[in-house]
Amino acid sequence: MATDTPSREAIEDRIEHVGRYARLIRAGLVVIVSAFLLALGGVLPAHLDSPARAIQSVLMPLTFVGLGLILYGIGMHLHLMHLNIVRQLQPASEDDSAGPETK
């Protein structure tokens, strides 16, 4: 299996897209948390007469917030892994010969 080193332009193109994807991940998290707060403020007060109904009205939005946080963590992990790969793909310059300890 032959591996070709990507060109500098290809690497820079990848770097440009990484920021956009990270912003989309954050926007998705904001939407999920906003929906939870809206459900908390709009649905919960109508069910405060019964603790079981109050818990049931918040359980589904809370589940979505938890899943959203998990997806956010996965997305940011992939984002950081991609940045690391892009950094490794860049040709080494003479300034980087000292190693990462000096940064």
Side-chain angles (χ1 to χ4, degrees):
M1 177 180 218
T3 57
D4 294 327
T5 304
S7 67
R8 186 143 188 95
E9 292 80 24
I11 292 172
E12 289 175 6
D13 186 50
R14 288 182 189 180
I15 292 173
E16 287 177 16
H17 291 298
V18 166
R20 181 183 321 147
Y21 298 140
R23 286 189 296 274
L24 287 174
I25 291 169
R26 287 187 185 107
L29 180 66
V30 167
V31 167
I32 290 171
V33 171
S34 299
F36 171 70
L37 294 175
L38 184 63
L40 197 64
V43 177
L44 184 61
H47 298 288
L48 286 178
D49 56 338
S50 168
R53 289 180 62 193
I55 291 171
Q56 185 179 7
S57 68
V58 176
L59 191 59
M60 184 64 73
L62 191 58
T63 302
F64 283 119
V65 169
L67 290 174
L69 289 172
I70 289 171
L71 290 174
Y72 177 76
I74 291 170
M76 291 312 294
H77 177 74
L78 292 174
H79 168 70
L80 293 174
M81 283 181 19
H82 185 265
L83 283 176
N84 187 34
I85 289 171
V86 169
R87 181 182 56 85
Q88 290 177 4
L89 289 176
Q90 289 179 337
S93 65
E94 293 176 12
D95 296 336
D96 293 339
S97 62
E101 307 87 32
T102 59
K103 291 184 179 182

